[in-house]
């Protein structure tokens, strides 16, 4: 019984189950494990931030730049860009890519596999940029480190690539959850911004990962409410027209941010040392007068909600921090933008609230309400992720009564940025000129399943020339395909239907019996039948990878290679265009209630 139990729960069986589109229990297990890994990593990252802050920051607070002397806080960005430049200067162009844009790129074009060197770069840049006083957050490092660690688990176990996609989403959600105690926002961000699709198969493992990661963070740091807000309400629906105006203004600011951040092509003509020095000088010069533009800025956002921030500081944060963040990204320093845009959005909203108080002194809701709404509007407009912005509003402020005006302002801001100015979402624009292949329904469907789920396993390998007895022996197992090995390694393998050889033997049975000397050798290249030229593909590959490989007109099919050592590799199956088309048409015709993946995309 013990032997049967062990044979049932084997890694090889686990891999085969994950290759299918309905491997929900197996993916949930991976979600739990990735939540533990990512939660532990985020605890370590936050611990390192705190440890670095104890060296020179007041009270060891990584956001207390206001407590530093002006000369010291102005010099910090110069030190930061120097340290980041020294590290990035030793990396290749590909090795400098980190953050959310890198996660989307690896998911889209590399099946969710992450280079280790970029992972270490993210640790260094994430810590130095926040502690060094640049306008940067810790959301990008949390997402990259979590997604890469979860995907690395899948790569270590040699899991199919369709499961790596889900692991990337698990790591993304878990990273956000552990960093900010926002598990729902983490899930929505992972599905809306990174995966760009909604499926039941994808949601459940991601929810588990986000939950477990958040629990680990709470065990380490206790339950933390990011902002202590109470007695905040809209009070009067007369504010709605002004909320629309606020959404329009923030949408235009968001478009300006995206345009400036995308100006990298023009700035790239300057040497890296000049670009980095400009960033250090601008941030340092601004920080001399307004240290609120440095770091993540959540302390400033909290004061904005309480209404204790001066107008000039609000203006510096709303415009200055926004422009400094965009300019930093445009100059090639890969800082996290999510925290800074939330803070800038809150300041911009507070300014609109103050103006509304002047225009409607008796009925205006006040700056605190508009600060919360502005925070969500800026995030939704820049990322073009309205649901993630609304969930962030809910979980960061714990004010569910703000959801109705929040939905209004987020939609207005998103439409303003997208339709009036033509600006796409910030991270979508990063990926190959805004073209994201996973937005295509066919590629989305094919990426959810790996080749073992649809390949034909019933095959035999044979030499090109065989005897009649060898031919009969090959057909004993009724193989669907005969894989013909050629005379030299540089010639591709060919596939012949087993039925074609069986038919030839049947038609020539009498001749073989009467004149055996004339049929001592059968050349499988000469018997009637269609022969398909084959190319290899890995057992872990998804159907989308197979689909792209078969775009080569010379190829008729792919043979699936199993094994990780060259001399021990074997052919596990054959996959044809027809097999891929049958899978897609079958799932496409299923009623939604019977669809195996329960897709909502």
């Amino acid at each position: 019984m013990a032997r049967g139990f062990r044979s049932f729960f084997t890694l090889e069986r686990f891999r085969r189950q994950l290759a299918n589109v309905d491997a929900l229990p197996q993916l949930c297990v991976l979600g739990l494990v990735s939540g533990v890994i990512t939660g532990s990593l985020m605890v370590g990252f936050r611990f390192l931030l705190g440890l670095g802050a104890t060296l020179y920051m007041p009270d060891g607070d990584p956001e207390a730049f206001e407590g530093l002397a002006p000369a010291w806080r102005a010099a910090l960005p110069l030190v930061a860009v120097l340290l980041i430049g020294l590290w990035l200067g030793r990396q290749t162009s590909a090795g400098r890519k980190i953050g959310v844009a890198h996660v989307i790129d690896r998911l889209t074009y590399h099946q969710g596999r992450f280079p280790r060197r970029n992972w270490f770069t993210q640790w260094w840049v994430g810590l130095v940029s926040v502690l060094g006083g640049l306008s940067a957050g810790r959301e990008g490092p949390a997402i990259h480190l979590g997604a890469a660690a979860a995907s690395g688990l899948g790569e270590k176990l040699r899991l199919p690539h369709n499961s790596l996609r889900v692991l990337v989403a698990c790591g993304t959600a878990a990273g956000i959850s552990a960093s900010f105690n926002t598990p729902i926002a983490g899930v929505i961000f992972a599905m809306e911004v990174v995966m760009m699709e909604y499926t039941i198969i994808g949601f459940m493992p991601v929810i588990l990962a986000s939950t477990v990661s958040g629990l680990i963070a709470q065990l380490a740091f206790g339950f933390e409410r990011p902002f202590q807000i109470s007695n905040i309400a809209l009070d009067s629906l007369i504010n709605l027209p002004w909320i629309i105006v606020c959404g329009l203004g923030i949408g235009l600011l968001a478009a300006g941010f995206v345009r400036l951040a995308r100006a990298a092509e023009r700035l790239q003509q300057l040497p890296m040392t000049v670009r980095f020095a400009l960033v250090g000088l601008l941030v340092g010069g601004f920080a001399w007068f307004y240290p609120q533009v440095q770091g993540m800025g959540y302390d400033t956002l909290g004061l904005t909600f309480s209404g204790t921030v001066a107008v000039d500081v609000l203006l510096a944060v709303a415009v200055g921090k926004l422009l400094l963040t965009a300019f930093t990204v445009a100059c090639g320093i890969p800082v996290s933008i999510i925290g800074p845009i939330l803070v800038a959005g809150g300041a911009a909203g507070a300014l609109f609230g103050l103006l509304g108080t002047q225009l409607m002194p008796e009925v205006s809701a006040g700056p605190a309400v508009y600060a919360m709404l502005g925070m969500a509007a800026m995030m939704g407009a820049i990322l073009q992720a309205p649901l993630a912005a609304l969930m962030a509003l809910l979980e960061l402020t714990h004010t569910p009564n703000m959801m109705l005006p929040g939905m209004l302002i987020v939609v207005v801001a998103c439409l303003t940025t997208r339709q009036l100015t033509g600006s796409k979402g910030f991270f979508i624009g990063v990926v190959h000129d805004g073209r994201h292949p996973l937005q295509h329904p066919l590629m989305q469907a094919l990426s959810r399943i790996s080749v073992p789920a649809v390949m034909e396993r019933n095959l035999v390998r044979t030499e090109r020339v065989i005897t009649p007895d060898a031919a009969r022996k090959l057909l004993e197992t009724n193989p669907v395909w005969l894989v013909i090995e050629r005379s030299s390694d540089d010639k591709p393998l060919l596939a012949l239907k087993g039925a074609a050889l069986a038919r030839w033997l049947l038609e020539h049975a009498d001749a073989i019996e009467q004149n055996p000397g004339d049929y001592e050798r059968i050349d499988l290249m000469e018997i009637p039948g269609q022969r398909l030229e084959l190319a290899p593909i890995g057992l872990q590959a998804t159907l989308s990878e197979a689909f792209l490989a078969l775009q080569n007109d010379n190829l008729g099919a792919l043979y699936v290679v199993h094994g990780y050592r060259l001399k021990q590799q074997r052919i596990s199956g054959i996959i044809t265009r027809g097999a891929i088309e049958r899978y897609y048409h079958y799932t496409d015709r299923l009623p939604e209630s019977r669809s195996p993946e329960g897709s909502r995309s």
Side-chain angles (χ1 to χ4, degrees):
M1 181 176 178
R3 182 179 300 175
F5 182 83
R6 287 195 300 270
S7 64
F8 184 79
F9 292 100
T10 63
L11 183 56
E12 192 61 37
R13 179 182 175 86
F14 190 67
R15 292 187 187 116
R16 288 200 303 270
Q17 291 169 332
L18 283 171
N20 294 288
V21 75
D22 57 350
L24 185 56
Q26 293 77 18
L27 290 173
C28 286
V29 171
L30 292 177
L32 287 170
V33 177
S34 61
V36 173
I37 294 173
T38 303
S40 302
L41 278 176
M42 289 306 100
V43 168
F45 186 81
R46 293 175 64 179
F47 172 77
L48 289 175
L49 277 177
L51 184 63
T54 59
L55 299 178
Y56 58 91
M57 297 293 283
D59 301 321
D61 183 358
E63 294 194 75
F65 293 98
E66 295 87 347
L68 296 174
W72 181 228
R73 67 187 181 228
L76 274 177
L78 290 170
V79 176
V81 297
L82 175 62
L83 293 175
I84 293 173
L86 288 174
W87 181 280
L88 295 183
R90 301 178 61 183
Q91 312 299 320
T92 63
S93 177
R96 298 171 188 169
K97 296 178 180 179
I98 59 174
V100 182
H102 177 65
V103 171
I104 297 174
D105 180 74
R106 300 304 298 187
L107 181 69
T108 306
Y109 301 105
H110 304 277
Q111 302 301 322
R113 293 167 295 180
F114 290 81
R116 191 173 299 175
R117 61 183 178 181
N118 299 64
W119 195 70
F120 287 114
T121 297
Q122 180 64 88
W123 279 96
W124 179 254
V125 175
L127 291 169
V128 173
S129 62
V130 174
L131 292 172
L134 297 178
S135 181
R138 65 172 187 249
E139 300 83 5
I143 292 166
H144 183 179
L145 296 176
S151 173
L153 169 68
E155 288 191 80
K156 188 71 175 178
L157 298 177
R158 299 189 179 98
L159 301 182
H161 292 167
N162 63 322
S163 60
L164 293 188
R165 288 170 42 79
V166 179
L167 281 170
V168 169
C170 288
T172 297
I176 296 174
S177 177
S179 294
F180 305 102
N181 282 318
T182 54
I184 302 177
V187 171
I188 299 300
F189 184 92
M191 305 306 289
E192 188 175 30
V193 177
V194 176
M195 293 286 285
M196 296 189 184
E197 64 182 33
Y198 296 97
T199 63
I200 292 176
I201 295 295
F203 257 119
M204 292 189 183
V206 175
I207 290 172
L208 282 173
S210 185
T211 302
V212 172
S213 182
L215 288 173
I216 290 175
Q218 289 185 24
L219 287 173
F221 303 107
F223 179 76
E224 302 171 313
R225 289 185 61 176
F227 306 106
Q228 302 296 328
I229 301 173
S230 59
N231 301 323
I232 296 292
L234 190 61
D235 293 332
S236 174
L237 296 180
I238 297 177
N239 287 275
L240 293 181
W242 189 244
I243 287 175
I244 293 175
V245 174
C246 180
L248 285 166
I250 290 178
L252 293 174
L253 279 174
F257 174 90
V258 174
R259 293 289 176 86
L260 177 57
R262 296 278 71 80
E265 291 184 3
R266 281 171 281 179
L267 288 171
Q268 291 299 324
Q269 298 174 4
L270 297 174
M272 188 175 75
T273 53
V274 175
R275 288 184 276 117
F276 281 33
L278 283 174
V279 170
L281 290 171
L282 284 175
V283 176
F286 216 100
W288 182 285
F289 303 99
Y290 295 102
Q292 292 84 359
V293 301
Q294 294 184 285
M296 295 176 286
Y298 283 137
D299 55 342
T300 303
L301 186 57
L303 294 174
T304 303
F305 291 153
S306 65
T308 59
V309 181
V311 175
D312 63 322
V313 175
L314 289 176
L315 190 61
V317 173
V319 179
K321 189 173 182 65
L322 199 66
L323 294 179
L324 287 174
T325 307
F327 185 72
T328 302
V329 173
C331 285
I333 302 179
V335 297
S336 173
I337 69 161
I338 300 175
I341 65 176
L342 283 172
V343 177
L351 288 171
F352 275 99
L354 289 172
L355 182 57
T357 303
Q358 298 295 318
L359 297 175
M360 303 176 293
E362 297 181 359
V363 296
S364 178
V369 169
Y370 284 91
M372 287 190 293
L373 298 178
M375 173 188 71
M378 188 70 78
M379 176 181 174
I382 289 178
L383 304 185
Q384 287 296 302
L387 282 178
L390 288 170
M391 288 302 101
L393 170 64
L394 177 64
E395 291 190 291
L396 288 174
T397 65
H398 293 269
T399 53
N401 57 320
M402 286 290 100
M403 291 303 289
L404 189 147
M407 288 189 287
L408 176 62
I409 194 171
V410 166
V411 168
V412 171
C414 288
L415 285 175
T416 300
T417 303
R418 188 180 185 91
Q419 300 302 129
L420 292 186
T421 69
S423 297
K424 304 285 186 173
F426 177 80
F427 294 121
I428 297 177
V430 172
V431 183
H432 288 221
D433 300 323
R435 296 192 302 271
H436 200 293
L438 295 185
Q439 291 175 336
H440 194 288
L442 173 60
M443 300 307 290
Q444 283 185 336
L446 297 182
S447 294
R448 298 186 195 120
I449 187 169
S450 288
V451 292
V454 298
M455 71 182 184
E456 177 56 61
R457 300 174 183 270
N458 191 1
L459 58 87
V460 292
R461 299 179 69 167
T462 177
E463 296 177 353
R464 170 180 173 173
V465 180
I466 57 176
T467 64
D469 290 338
R472 296 187 189 98
K473 189 173 183 179
L474 287 175
L475 297 174
E476 287 179 355
T477 57
N478 296 318
V480 175
W481 291 102
L482 303 176
V483 178
I484 305 172
E485 297 176 345
R486 310 293 289 278
S487 57
S488 61
D489 294 336
D490 59 339
K491 294 182 179 180
L493 299 179
L494 297 177
L496 174 69
K497 285 281 189 178
L501 177 59
R503 183 168 52 251
W504 189 90
L505 287 174
L506 185 63
E507 292 173 351
H508 294 78
D510 294 339
I512 293 173
E513 185 176 351
Q514 294 173 5
N515 302 294
D518 295 338
Y519 294 93
E520 291 181 356
R521 295 287 185 269
I522 302 173
D523 190 343
L524 296 180
M525 295 294 291
E526 296 182 359
I527 66 173
Q530 182 184 12
R531 276 161 286 273
L532 303 179
E533 186 172 307
L534 302 177
I537 192 169
L539 188 68
Q540 298 166 282
T542 62
L543 288 192
S544 63
E545 291 177 88
F547 179 84
L548 293 173
L550 287 171
Q551 297 306 301
N552 184 344
D553 293 335
N554 294 327
L555 289 179
L558 303 169
Y559 65 92
V560 182
V561 178
H562 187 197
Y564 309 105
R565 296 180 180 178
L566 186 61
K567 295 183 179 180
Q568 297 179 356
Q569 287 182 345
R570 64 181 186 273
I571 297 177
S572 296
I574 286 180
I575 184 164
T576 63
R577 287 189 180 89
I580 297 175
E581 291 172 0
R582 284 192 296 274
Y583 163 77
Y584 177 69
H585 290 311
Y586 170 72
T587 55
D588 190 46
R589 291 170 183 166
L590 280 176
E592 192 165 331
S593 60
R594 294 176 54 202
S595 177
E597 68 266 39
S599 175
R600 299 294 184 270
S601 58

